[in-house]
C-alpha cells in the first residue's frame, strides 16, 4: 500500500515557478533595467525606463535622452517601482543603445518589453 502512495503524481502547478519568482522579484529585478512601451491612444505611445541604480541622477539622464532623441519626457515617482523615466514615442531601441554607450548599464542587463 505504501508503494502505491509514492507513485501517485502530485498536482502540477504551471504557475508555481512564476509565483516563486514574484516573492524574490524585488531582489532579482534590481539586476535588470526594464525598457517598456505603453500604448496611449491611437498611434501615441510612451516608453518607460525602470530599474536604474539609485546613485544615478535621473534628471541628468533624462535631459540627455530628451536632447538625443528630440522627444519630451519626465521622471515619475512610483510607490512600488521607485523612480521611472517616461519618454514620448517608441524609444526602446534608442534608449537601450544610449544606456550601453554611456556606460550606465551593460547590454546583458537590459530587458526590452513590448510588442
Amino acid at each position: 500500500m505504501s508503494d502505491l502512495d509514492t507513485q501517485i503524481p502530485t498536482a502540477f502547478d504551471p504557475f508555481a515557478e512564476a509565483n516563486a519568482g514574484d516573492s524574490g522579484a524585488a531582489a532579482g529585478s534590481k539586476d535588470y533595467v526594464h525598457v517598456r512601451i505603453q500604448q496611449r491612444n491611437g498611434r501615441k505611445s510612451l516608453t518607460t525606463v525602470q530599474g536604474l541604480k539609485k546613485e544615478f541622477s535621473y534628471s541628468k539622464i533624462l535631459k540627455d535622452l530628451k536632447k538625443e532623441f528630440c522627444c519630451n519626457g519626465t521622471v515619475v515617482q512610483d510607490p512600488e517601482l521607485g523612480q521611472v523615466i517616461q519618454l514620448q514615442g517608441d524609444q526602446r531601441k534608442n534608449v537601450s543603445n544610449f544606456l550601453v554607450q554611456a556606460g550606465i548599464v551593460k547590454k546583458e542587463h537590459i530587458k526590452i518589453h513590448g510588442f
Side-chain angles (χ1 to χ4, degrees), residues 71-83:
C71 66
N72 200 6
T74 185
V75 177
V76 177
Q77 181 64 37
D78 188 83
E80 219 175 84
L81 305 173
Q83 289 187 326

Side-chain angles (χ1 to χ4, degrees), residues 48-110:
T48 60
V49 182
Q50 166 210 337
L52 292 172
K53 293 183 180 174
K54 301 222 185 289
E55 62 256 14
F56 292 121
S57 173
Y58 283 76
S59 58
K60 289 184 180 180
I61 293 173
L62 177 64
K63 184 179 176 183
D64 291 338
L65 288 171
K66 287 166 57 172
K67 275 188 182 178
E68 184 77 22
F69 308 134
C70 300
C71 66
N72 200 6
T74 185
V75 177
V76 177
Q77 181 64 37
D78 188 83
E80 219 175 84
L81 305 173
Q83 289 187 326
V84 178
I85 295 176
Q86 291 183 342
L87 296 169
Q88 288 182 348
D90 184 4
Q91 307 290 343
R92 291 175 292 173
K93 290 183 181 177
N94 295 337
V95 168
S96 64
N97 290 337
F98 177 85
L99 293 174
V100 170
Q101 288 177 354
I104 297 171
V105 183
K106 293 182 182 176
K107 187 160 181 73
E108 55 268 7
H109 294 301
I110 295 178

Side-chain angles (χ1 to χ4, degrees), residues 4-14 16:
L4 190 60
D5 291 336
T6 58
Q7 294 177 357
I8 295 175
T10 58
F12 176 71
D13 185 11

